[in-house]
Amino acid sequence: MARPRKPLLSTDRIVEAARALVDAEGLAAVSTRRLAAELGVSGPSLYNHFRTKDQILEAVADSVSAQVDLSVFEDGRDWRTALHDWAVSYRAALRDHPNIVPVLARGPGRRPAGLRVADAAFGAMVDAGWPPAQATSIGALMRYFIMGSALGSFAGGFVDDETAYDPADYPHLGQAHLLADQQEKIDERAFETGLTALLDGLALQYEQLGRTA
């Protein structure tokens, strides 16, 4: 009886395995030797698809960018609603894969999905009437905000130990030990609060554009 064949090695399989490894153990865990072992292949076989670890991490980063919903810019939503929904989708992708954020934070470089994300947001703002220079600033601003929100949890930065926050030293942190238990709710609310504030400010600028046009 013929032995079952192993699945053929492909770029997608390598990226999927690398992404799972990054998610579970962080960037430092990725190496061609480790990935080869995870995939059940010899190390040199990976070089037919990727020459270096950095190329693998770039591909993982791009696979996460590909999860961002760009249809929000194509279905007739006004620019503010589209930008809001895009930011929520973008953050959700980063929240699911936080360990790859340092690579994404370098910028899109030559990554196709990352460039599509930037192109879609910029194009939508220009189409809505924003001057190109301001559309560029909006893209940068949103990227700073979304990436920053994904780099770490505010609520998760406090320990679940009431004795760590002596009122004599920290008179306003009497409830800080409760924050970690509400991490997801607090972080989601903080993101939405910040996003709304940003969009409110942009809406005021947009109105000013209309008055001066």
Side-chain angles (χ1 to χ4, degrees), residues 54-83:
D54 284 344
Q55 287 184 351
I56 294 172
L57 292 178
E58 287 286 310
V60 170
D62 213 37
S63 74
V64 173
S65 293
Q67 297 174 19
V68 180
D69 183 7
L70 302 182
S71 70
V72 299
F73 295 123
E74 302 166 356
D75 59 8
R77 303 178 208 196
D78 64 89
W79 70 266
R80 176 180 174 141
T81 302
L83 201 60

PDB file of all heavy atoms in Angstrom, residues 54-83:
ATOM      1  N   ASP A  54      14.161  37.288   7.640  1.00  0.00           N
ATOM      2  CA  ASP A  54      13.501  38.588   7.477  1.00  0.00           C
ATOM      3  C   ASP A  54      12.454  38.536   6.374  1.00  0.00           C
ATOM      4  O   ASP A  54      11.389  39.145   6.499  1.00  0.00           O
ATOM      5  CB  ASP A  54      14.526  39.680   7.175  1.00  0.00           C
ATOM      6  CG  ASP A  54      15.301  40.108   8.420  1.00  0.00           C
ATOM      7  OD1 ASP A  54      14.856  39.787   9.535  1.00  0.00           O
ATOM      8  OD2 ASP A  54      16.352  40.764   8.259  1.00  0.00           O
ATOM      9  N   GLN A  55      12.750  37.829   5.288  1.00  0.00           N
ATOM     10  CA  GLN A  55      11.776  37.709   4.211  1.00  0.00           C
ATOM     11  C   GLN A  55      10.534  36.960   4.684  1.00  0.00           C
ATOM     12  O   GLN A  55       9.413  37.293   4.297  1.00  0.00           O
ATOM     13  CB  GLN A  55      12.393  36.993   3.013  1.00  0.00           C
ATOM     14  CG  GLN A  55      13.385  37.829   2.234  1.00  0.00           C
ATOM     15  CD  GLN A  55      13.900  37.096   1.006  1.00  0.00           C
ATOM     16  OE1 GLN A  55      13.661  35.905   0.807  1.00  0.00           O
ATOM     17  NE2 GLN A  55      14.612  37.824   0.156  1.00  0.00           N
ATOM     18  N   ILE A  56      10.728  35.969   5.522  1.00  0.00           N
ATOM     19  CA  ILE A  56       9.593  35.216   6.066  1.00  0.00           C
ATOM     20  C   ILE A  56       8.742  36.126   6.942  1.00  0.00           C
ATOM     21  O   ILE A  56       7.502  36.139   6.841  1.00  0.00           O
ATOM     22  CB  ILE A  56      10.081  33.996   6.861  1.00  0.00           C
ATOM     23  CG1 ILE A  56      10.768  33.005   5.921  1.00  0.00           C
ATOM     24  CG2 ILE A  56       8.920  33.319   7.592  1.00  0.00           C
ATOM     25  CD1 ILE A  56      11.464  31.854   6.640  1.00  0.00           C
ATOM     26  N   LEU A  57       9.382  36.902   7.806  1.00  0.00           N
ATOM     27  CA  LEU A  57       8.636  37.798   8.692  1.00  0.00           C
ATOM     28  C   LEU A  57       7.911  38.885   7.899  1.00  0.00           C
ATOM     29  O   LEU A  57       6.805  39.299   8.264  1.00  0.00           O
ATOM     30  CB  LEU A  57       9.580  38.424   9.723  1.00  0.00           C
ATOM     31  CG  LEU A  57      10.154  37.453  10.750  1.00  0.00           C
ATOM     32  CD1 LEU A  57      11.121  38.182  11.690  1.00  0.00           C
ATOM     33  CD2 LEU A  57       9.048  36.775  11.550  1.00  0.00           C
ATOM     34  N   GLU A  58       8.531  39.364   6.824  1.00  0.00           N
ATOM     35  CA  GLU A  58       7.855  40.337   5.974  1.00  0.00           C
ATOM     36  C   GLU A  58       6.590  39.725   5.366  1.00  0.00           C
ATOM     37  O   GLU A  58       5.544  40.380   5.274  1.00  0.00           O
ATOM     38  CB  GLU A  58       8.800  40.800   4.859  1.00  0.00           C
ATOM     39  CG  GLU A  58       9.918  41.717   5.328  1.00  0.00           C
ATOM     40  CD  GLU A  58       9.412  43.114   5.643  1.00  0.00           C
ATOM     41  OE1 GLU A  58       8.699  43.708   4.805  1.00  0.00           O
ATOM     42  OE2 GLU A  58       9.700  43.612   6.744  1.00  0.00           O
ATOM     43  N   ALA A  59       6.684  38.478   4.962  1.00  0.00           N
ATOM     44  CA  ALA A  59       5.525  37.795   4.379  1.00  0.00           C
ATOM     45  C   ALA A  59       4.439  37.569   5.426  1.00  0.00           C
ATOM     46  O   ALA A  59       3.246  37.679   5.129  1.00  0.00           O
ATOM     47  CB  ALA A  59       5.953  36.470   3.762  1.00  0.00           C
ATOM     48  N   VAL A  60       4.840  37.253   6.642  1.00  0.00           N
ATOM     49  CA  VAL A  60       3.866  37.095   7.726  1.00  0.00           C
ATOM     50  C   VAL A  60       3.155  38.422   7.974  1.00  0.00           C
ATOM     51  O   VAL A  60       1.923  38.484   8.102  1.00  0.00           O
ATOM     52  CB  VAL A  60       4.546  36.600   9.018  1.00  0.00           C
ATOM     53  CG1 VAL A  60       3.578  36.682  10.203  1.00  0.00           C
ATOM     54  CG2 VAL A  60       5.039  35.173   8.848  1.00  0.00           C
ATOM     55  N   ALA A  61       3.936  39.496   8.040  1.00  0.00           N
ATOM     56  CA  ALA A  61       3.351  40.817   8.244  1.00  0.00           C
ATOM     57  C   ALA A  61       2.353  41.142   7.145  1.00  0.00           C
ATOM     58  O   ALA A  61       1.263  41.671   7.400  1.00  0.00           O
ATOM     59  CB  ALA A  61       4.452  41.881   8.298  1.00  0.00           C
ATOM     60  N   ASP A  62       2.709  40.821   5.912  1.00  0.00           N
ATOM     61  CA  ASP A  62       1.806  41.134   4.809  1.00  0.00           C
ATOM     62  C   ASP A  62       0.539  40.290   4.867  1.00  0.00           C
ATOM     63  O   ASP A  62      -0.539  40.747   4.474  1.00  0.00           O
ATOM     64  CB  ASP A  62       2.515  40.926   3.473  1.00  0.00           C
ATOM     65  CG  ASP A  62       2.041  41.903   2.412  1.00  0.00           C
ATOM     66  OD1 ASP A  62       1.782  43.079   2.768  1.00  0.00           O
ATOM     67  OD2 ASP A  62       1.926  41.517   1.234  1.00  0.00           O
ATOM     68  N   SER A  63       0.655  39.071   5.356  1.00  0.00           N
ATOM     69  CA  SER A  63      -0.537  38.227   5.483  1.00  0.00           C
ATOM     70  C   SER A  63      -1.513  38.805   6.503  1.00  0.00           C
ATOM     71  O   SER A  63      -2.728  38.618   6.392  1.00  0.00           O
ATOM     72  CB  SER A  63      -0.146  36.796   5.874  1.00  0.00           C
ATOM     73  OG  SER A  63       0.246  36.707   7.237  1.00  0.00           O
ATOM     74  N   VAL A  64      -0.990  39.518   7.494  1.00  0.00           N
ATOM     75  CA  VAL A  64      -1.853  40.175   8.477  1.00  0.00           C
ATOM     76  C   VAL A  64      -2.480  41.420   7.860  1.00  0.00           C
ATOM     77  O   VAL A  64      -3.677  41.691   8.051  1.00  0.00           O
ATOM     78  CB  VAL A  64      -1.067  40.516   9.758  1.00  0.00           C
ATOM     79  CG1 VAL A  64      -1.909  41.353  10.714  1.00  0.00           C
ATOM     80  CG2 VAL A  64      -0.609  39.222  10.447  1.00  0.00           C
ATOM     81  N   SER A  65      -1.712  42.183   7.105  1.00  0.00           N
ATOM     82  CA  SER A  65      -2.272  43.349   6.410  1.00  0.00           C
ATOM     83  C   SER A  65      -3.411  42.936   5.476  1.00  0.00           C
ATOM     84  O   SER A  65      -4.373  43.691   5.290  1.00  0.00           O
ATOM     85  CB  SER A  65      -1.185  44.062   5.598  1.00  0.00           C
ATOM     86  OG  SER A  65      -0.216  44.653   6.440  1.00  0.00           O
ATOM     87  N   ALA A  66      -3.290  41.752   4.905  1.00  0.00           N
ATOM     88  CA  ALA A  66      -4.316  41.275   3.978  1.00  0.00           C
ATOM     89  C   ALA A  66      -5.652  41.020   4.677  1.00  0.00           C
ATOM     90  O   ALA A  66      -6.685  40.874   4.004  1.00  0.00           O
ATOM     91  CB  ALA A  66      -3.840  40.005   3.280  1.00  0.00           C
ATOM     92  N   GLN A  67      -5.654  40.957   6.003  1.00  0.00           N
ATOM     93  CA  GLN A  67      -6.883  40.728   6.754  1.00  0.00           C
ATOM     94  C   GLN A  67      -7.684  42.011   6.983  1.00  0.00           C
ATOM     95  O   GLN A  67      -8.823  41.965   7.457  1.00  0.00           O
ATOM     96  CB  GLN A  67      -6.549  40.082   8.101  1.00  0.00           C
ATOM     97  CG  GLN A  67      -5.896  38.707   7.980  1.00  0.00           C
ATOM     98  CD  GLN A  67      -5.447  38.144   9.320  1.00  0.00           C
ATOM     99  OE1 GLN A  67      -5.905  38.586  10.372  1.00  0.00           O
ATOM    100  NE2 GLN A  67      -4.551  37.177   9.299  1.00  0.00           N
ATOM    101  N   VAL A  68      -7.091  43.155   6.663  1.00  0.00           N
ATOM    102  CA  VAL A  68      -7.783  44.434   6.851  1.00  0.00           C
ATOM    103  C   VAL A  68      -8.853  44.594   5.781  1.00  0.00           C
ATOM    104  O   VAL A  68      -8.591  44.408   4.586  1.00  0.00           O
ATOM    105  CB  VAL A  68      -6.790  45.609   6.790  1.00  0.00           C
ATOM    106  CG1 VAL A  68      -7.521  46.933   6.994  1.00  0.00           C
ATOM    107  CG2 VAL A  68      -5.700  45.438   7.845  1.00  0.00           C
ATOM    108  N   ASP A  69     -10.052  44.946   6.189  1.00  0.00           N
ATOM    109  CA  ASP A  69     -11.185  45.080   5.274  1.00  0.00           C
ATOM    110  C   ASP A  69     -11.091  46.402   4.508  1.00  0.00           C
ATOM    111  O   ASP A  69     -11.239  47.479   5.089  1.00  0.00           O
ATOM    112  CB  ASP A  69     -12.492  45.022   6.068  1.00  0.00           C
ATOM    113  CG  ASP A  69     -13.726  45.076   5.181  1.00  0.00           C
ATOM    114  OD1 ASP A  69     -13.577  45.023   3.940  1.00  0.00           O
ATOM    115  OD2 ASP A  69     -14.841  45.172   5.730  1.00  0.00           O
ATOM    116  N   LEU A  70     -10.864  46.315   3.207  1.00  0.00           N
ATOM    117  CA  LEU A  70     -10.777  47.506   2.365  1.00  0.00           C
ATOM    118  C   LEU A  70     -12.079  47.783   1.625  1.00  0.00           C
ATOM    119  O   LEU A  70     -12.215  48.826   0.972  1.00  0.00           O
ATOM    120  CB  LEU A  70      -9.628  47.352   1.351  1.00  0.00           C
ATOM    121  CG  LEU A  70      -8.234  47.110   1.954  1.00  0.00           C
ATOM    122  CD1 LEU A  70      -7.195  47.029   0.851  1.00  0.00           C
ATOM    123  CD2 LEU A  70      -7.880  48.196   2.958  1.00  0.00           C
ATOM    124  N   SER A  71     -13.039  46.880   1.741  1.00  0.00           N
ATOM    125  CA  SER A  71     -14.316  47.089   1.052  1.00  0.00           C
ATOM    126  C   SER A  71     -15.065  48.287   1.614  1.00  0.00           C
ATOM    127  O   SER A  71     -15.967  48.822   0.955  1.00  0.00           O
ATOM    128  CB  SER A  71     -15.186  45.836   1.163  1.00  0.00           C
ATOM    129  OG  SER A  71     -15.645  45.637   2.498  1.00  0.00           O
ATOM    130  N   VAL A  72     -14.692  48.721   2.823  1.00  0.00           N
ATOM    131  CA  VAL A  72     -15.369  49.867   3.442  1.00  0.00           C
ATOM    132  C   VAL A  72     -15.185  51.132   2.620  1.00  0.00           C
ATOM    133  O   VAL A  72     -15.963  52.092   2.765  1.00  0.00           O
ATOM    134  CB  VAL A  72     -14.872  50.100   4.881  1.00  0.00           C
ATOM    135  CG1 VAL A  72     -15.156  48.880   5.752  1.00  0.00           C
ATOM    136  CG2 VAL A  72     -13.376  50.422   4.898  1.00  0.00           C
ATOM    137  N   PHE A  73     -14.154  51.152   1.782  1.00  0.00           N
ATOM    138  CA  PHE A  73     -13.909  52.335   0.950  1.00  0.00           C
ATOM    139  C   PHE A  73     -14.600  52.236  -0.411  1.00  0.00           C
ATOM    140  O   PHE A  73     -14.473  53.152  -1.235  1.00  0.00           O
ATOM    141  CB  PHE A  73     -12.412  52.515   0.724  1.00  0.00           C
ATOM    142  CG  PHE A  73     -11.628  52.821   1.978  1.00  0.00           C
ATOM    143  CD1 PHE A  73     -10.575  52.017   2.364  1.00  0.00           C
ATOM    144  CD2 PHE A  73     -11.960  53.909   2.769  1.00  0.00           C
ATOM    145  CE1 PHE A  73      -9.841  52.310   3.510  1.00  0.00           C
ATOM    146  CE2 PHE A  73     -11.234  54.203   3.921  1.00  0.00           C
ATOM    147  CZ  PHE A  73     -10.173  53.394   4.292  1.00  0.00           C
ATOM    148  N   GLU A  74     -15.297  51.142  -0.643  1.00  0.00           N
ATOM    149  CA  GLU A  74     -15.816  50.893  -1.991  1.00  0.00           C
ATOM    150  C   GLU A  74     -17.330  50.769  -2.058  1.00  0.00           C
ATOM    151  O   GLU A  74     -17.880  50.562  -3.142  1.00  0.00           O
ATOM    152  CB  GLU A  74     -15.185  49.600  -2.538  1.00  0.00           C
ATOM    153  CG  GLU A  74     -13.667  49.636  -2.591  1.00  0.00           C
ATOM    154  CD  GLU A  74     -13.067  48.253  -2.795  1.00  0.00           C
ATOM    155  OE1 GLU A  74     -13.844  47.275  -2.811  1.00  0.00           O
ATOM    156  OE2 GLU A  74     -11.834  48.160  -2.940  1.00  0.00           O
ATOM    157  N   ASP A  75     -18.027  50.876  -0.936  1.00  0.00           N
ATOM    158  CA  ASP A  75     -19.461  50.585  -0.943  1.00  0.00           C
ATOM    159  C   ASP A  75     -20.339  51.806  -0.673  1.00  0.00           C
ATOM    160  O   ASP A  75     -21.495  51.683  -0.276  1.00  0.00           O
ATOM    161  CB  ASP A  75     -19.789  49.483   0.067  1.00  0.00           C
ATOM    162  CG  ASP A  75     -19.385  49.835   1.496  1.00  0.00           C
ATOM    163  OD1 ASP A  75     -18.982  50.992   1.731  1.00  0.00           O
ATOM    164  OD2 ASP A  75     -19.475  48.956   2.376  1.00  0.00           O
ATOM    165  N   GLY A  76     -19.765  52.993  -0.863  1.00  0.00           N
ATOM    166  CA  GLY A  76     -20.575  54.198  -0.771  1.00  0.00           C
ATOM    167  C   GLY A  76     -20.661  54.847   0.593  1.00  0.00           C
ATOM    168  O   GLY A  76     -21.401  55.824   0.767  1.00  0.00           O
ATOM    169  N   ARG A  77     -19.948  54.351   1.580  1.00  0.00           N
ATOM    170  CA  ARG A  77     -19.959  54.992   2.894  1.00  0.00           C
ATOM    171  C   ARG A  77     -19.281  56.358   2.801  1.00  0.00           C
ATOM    172  O   ARG A  77     -18.379  56.565   1.999  1.00  0.00           O
ATOM    173  CB  ARG A  77     -19.215  54.143   3.921  1.00  0.00           C
ATOM    174  CG  ARG A  77     -19.763  52.742   4.056  1.00  0.00           C
ATOM    175  CD  ARG A  77     -18.978  51.903   5.056  1.00  0.00           C
ATOM    176  NE  ARG A  77     -19.062  50.494   4.685  1.00  0.00           N
ATOM    177  CZ  ARG A  77     -18.755  49.483   5.486  1.00  0.00           C
ATOM    178  NH1 ARG A  77     -18.334  49.725   6.710  1.00  0.00           N
ATOM    179  NH2 ARG A  77     -18.871  48.229   5.066  1.00  0.00           N
ATOM    180  N   ASP A  78     -19.717  57.288   3.632  1.00  0.00           N
ATOM    181  CA  ASP A  78     -19.031  58.576   3.671  1.00  0.00           C
ATOM    182  C   ASP A  78     -17.632  58.376   4.240  1.00  0.00           C
ATOM    183  O   ASP A  78     -17.340  57.364   4.890  1.00  0.00           O
ATOM    184  CB  ASP A  78     -19.826  59.581   4.507  1.00  0.00           C
ATOM    185  CG  ASP A  78     -19.916  59.158   5.971  1.00  0.00           C
ATOM    186  OD1 ASP A  78     -19.022  59.518   6.749  1.00  0.00           O
ATOM    187  OD2 ASP A  78     -20.876  58.439   6.331  1.00  0.00           O
ATOM    188  N   TRP A  79     -16.759  59.351   3.988  1.00  0.00           N
ATOM    189  CA  TRP A  79     -15.347  59.174   4.331  1.00  0.00           C
ATOM    190  C   TRP A  79     -15.141  58.910   5.816  1.00  0.00           C
ATOM    191  O   TRP A  79     -14.288  58.088   6.183  1.00  0.00           O
ATOM    192  CB  TRP A  79     -14.525  60.390   3.893  1.00  0.00           C
ATOM    193  CG  TRP A  79     -14.775  61.644   4.692  1.00  0.00           C
ATOM    194  CD1 TRP A  79     -15.646  62.651   4.398  1.00  0.00           C
ATOM    195  CD2 TRP A  79     -14.152  62.002   5.933  1.00  0.00           C
ATOM    196  NE1 TRP A  79     -15.610  63.618   5.374  1.00  0.00           N
ATOM    197  CE2 TRP A  79     -14.700  63.254   6.327  1.00  0.00           C
ATOM    198  CE3 TRP A  79     -13.195  61.419   6.756  1.00  0.00           C
ATOM    199  CZ2 TRP A  79     -14.316  63.910   7.507  1.00  0.00           C
ATOM    200  CZ3 TRP A  79     -12.799  62.061   7.930  1.00  0.00           C
ATOM    201  CH2 TRP A  79     -13.367  63.291   8.290  1.00  0.00           C
ATOM    202  N   ARG A  80     -15.931  59.565   6.683  1.00  0.00           N
ATOM    203  CA  ARG A  80     -15.742  59.382   8.118  1.00  0.00           C
ATOM    204  C   ARG A  80     -16.137  57.974   8.552  1.00  0.00           C
ATOM    205  O   ARG A  80     -15.410  57.329   9.314  1.00  0.00           O
ATOM    206  CB  ARG A  80     -16.550  60.419   8.895  1.00  0.00           C
ATOM    207  CG  ARG A  80     -16.456  60.197  10.400  1.00  0.00           C
ATOM    208  CD  ARG A  80     -17.234  61.199  11.213  1.00  0.00           C
ATOM    209  NE  ARG A  80     -17.199  60.808  12.621  1.00  0.00           N
ATOM    210  CZ  ARG A  80     -17.080  61.626  13.630  1.00  0.00           C
ATOM    211  NH1 ARG A  80     -16.973  62.917  13.428  1.00  0.00           N
ATOM    212  NH2 ARG A  80     -17.058  61.177  14.869  1.00  0.00           N
ATOM    213  N   THR A  81     -17.283  57.499   8.087  1.00  0.00           N
ATOM    214  CA  THR A  81     -17.722  56.149   8.438  1.00  0.00           C
ATOM    215  C   THR A  81     -16.742  55.108   7.908  1.00  0.00           C
ATOM    216  O   THR A  81     -16.396  54.149   8.602  1.00  0.00           O
ATOM    217  CB  THR A  81     -19.129  55.878   7.877  1.00  0.00           C
ATOM    218  OG1 THR A  81     -20.043  56.856   8.389  1.00  0.00           O
ATOM    219  CG2 THR A  81     -19.607  54.490   8.251  1.00  0.00           C
ATOM    220  N   ALA A  82     -16.297  55.305   6.668  1.00  0.00           N
ATOM    221  CA  ALA A  82     -15.355  54.365   6.067  1.00  0.00           C
ATOM    222  C   ALA A  82     -14.046  54.329   6.852  1.00  0.00           C
ATOM    223  O   ALA A  82     -13.491  53.251   7.115  1.00  0.00           O
ATOM    224  CB  ALA A  82     -15.086  54.741   4.615  1.00  0.00           C
ATOM    225  N   LEU A  83     -13.544  55.505   7.236  1.00  0.00           N
ATOM    226  CA  LEU A  83     -12.288  55.566   7.972  1.00  0.00           C
ATOM    227  C   LEU A  83     -12.435  54.903   9.340  1.00  0.00           C
ATOM    228  O   LEU A  83     -11.534  54.196   9.802  1.00  0.00           O
ATOM    229  CB  LEU A  83     -11.852  57.019   8.123  1.00  0.00           C
ATOM    230  CG  LEU A  83     -10.372  57.285   8.416  1.00  0.00           C
ATOM    231  CD1 LEU A  83      -9.497  56.734   7.293  1.00  0.00           C
ATOM    232  CD2 LEU A  83     -10.115  58.776   8.587  1.00  0.00           C
TER     233      LEU A  83
END
